[in-house]
């Protein structure tokens, strides 16, 4: 299950892995994205995928029904992250796992960044501390929790004129390996230009990290 699935790209990649007897599920809170994902599924003739319009702290999936939950830079945007972690734990089967990319804080952000709307949309201002991330997952019931700094440069917004997301996969990945999917529009140049001055003023890497998060539901 992919939280914040957008147009469904990662869901379709997962569907190819689980095969016709498996199921890949996408959750997104934006009607336009769910509509786009369903059109993409129809275009590809994908029969082992499903998409639900829901927030990531409450989704219409039965308890203990999912083997793996993935997400790419979405959990940091949720106002109640503890609720998200509890909901993920609920839907995972015993032995199921969480494997997500996100942004987490190494230390408190300067107020100018922490209160900036574009920094929130840019996956920075809504982030929580790395230790809180780890502790809140443990509180939700998870085991073997790891929050690993990937070492990616979060100042990329100040250096690039187009970027598809704060945790985007490398552009070196061959597009020939990807299904034909309309994944949605990238941030506008105006929004990137609005965020770039802050990232030129502050080295965000001093405060935040792009992290890979792993956890297991044992029971």
């Amino acid at each position: 299950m992919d939280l914040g699935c957008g147009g469904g790209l990662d869901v379709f990649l997962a569907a190819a892995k689980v095969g016709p007897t498996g199921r890949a599920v996408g959750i997104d809170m934006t009607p336009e994205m769910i509509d786009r994902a369903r059109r993409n599924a129809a275009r590809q003739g994908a029969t082992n995928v499903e998409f639900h319009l829901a927030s990531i702290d409450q989704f219409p999936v039965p308890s203990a029904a999912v083997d793996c939950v993935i997400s790419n830079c979405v959990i940091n945007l949720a106002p109640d992250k503890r609720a998200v972690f509890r909901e993920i734990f609920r839907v995972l089967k015993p032995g199921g796992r969480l494997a997500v990319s996100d942004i987490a804080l190494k230390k408190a952000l300067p107020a100018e960044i922490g209160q900036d709307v574009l920094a929130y949309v840019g996956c920075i201002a809504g982030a929580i501390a790395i230790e809180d991330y780890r502790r809140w997952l443990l509180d939700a019931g998870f085991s073997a929790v790891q929050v690993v700094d990937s070492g990616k440069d979060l100042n990329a917004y100040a250096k690039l004129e187009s970027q598809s997301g704060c945790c985007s996969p490398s552009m070196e990945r061959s597009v020939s390996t990807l299904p034909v999917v309309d994944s949605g529009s990238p941030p506008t140049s105006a929004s990137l230009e609005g965020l770039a001055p802050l990232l030129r003023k502050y080295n965000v890497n001093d405060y935040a990290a792009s992290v890979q998060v792993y956890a297991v539901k044992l029971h």
Side-chain angles (χ1 to χ4, degrees):
M1 184 169 66
D2 180 23
L3 304 184
C5 64
L9 175 58
D10 288 338
V11 175
F12 296 118
L13 293 173
K17 296 289 187 180
V18 301
T21 61
R23 201 82 180 153
V25 180
I27 305 291
D28 203 284
M29 65 179 294
T30 310
E32 293 80 4
M33 288 292 100
I34 292 298
D35 289 344
R36 180 175 284 119
R38 289 170 177 166
R39 290 197 302 271
N40 285 330
R43 183 182 302 123
Q44 294 191 53
T47 58
N48 62 341
V49 301
E50 60 186 74
F51 297 95
H52 297 285
L53 178 65
S55 62
I56 64 171
D57 60 359
Q58 187 175 15
F59 30 81
V61 176
S63 298
V66 176
D67 294 294
C68 183
V69 172
I70 63 174
S71 178
N72 187 22
C73 224
V74 170
I75 294 176
N76 67 82
L77 297 173
D80 189 349
K81 295 170 182 61
R82 289 178 182 266
V84 175
F85 297 152
R86 290 193 297 268
E87 186 72 343
I88 294 171
F89 189 84
R90 178 187 70 79
V91 301
L92 281 172
K93 300 175 183 177
R97 60 202 185 278
L98 167 73
V100 306
S101 296
D102 211 351
I103 301 295
L105 299 182
K106 296 184 280 189
K107 61 181 181 180
L109 291 169
E112 190 175 4
I113 296 178
Q115 298 171 9
D116 187 88
V117 172
L118 289 177
Y120 188 92
V121 174
C123 305
I124 298 170
I128 59 174
I130 290 174
E131 283 308 311
D132 286 342
Y133 216 123
R134 182 180 293 109
R135 185 175 67 254
W136 292 0
L137 283 169
L138 290 169
D139 289 346
F142 284 98
S143 302
V145 175
Q146 298 181 57
V147 183
V148 182
D149 186 344
S150 68
K152 293 180 181 177
D153 182 8
L154 296 184
N155 285 319
Y157 273 131
K159 300 173 183 177
L160 301 178
E161 294 183 357
S162 62
Q163 174 85 357
S164 59
C166 56
C167 299
S168 300
S170 170
M171 293 303 291
E172 294 175 0
R173 184 178 189 175
S174 172
V175 295
S176 64
T177 66
L178 303 179
V180 178
V181 173
D182 179 4
S183 59
S185 301
T188 65
S189 59
S191 67
L192 294 176
E193 289 171 3
L195 182 56
L198 272 181
L199 300 187
R200 284 193 289 265
K201 183 176 180 180
Y202 298 98
N203 182 359
V204 178
N205 297 305
D206 291 340
Y207 302 93
S210 173
V211 295
Q212 304 293 315
V213 182
Y214 308 99
V216 177
K217 177 180 178 178
L218 291 181
H219 306 290

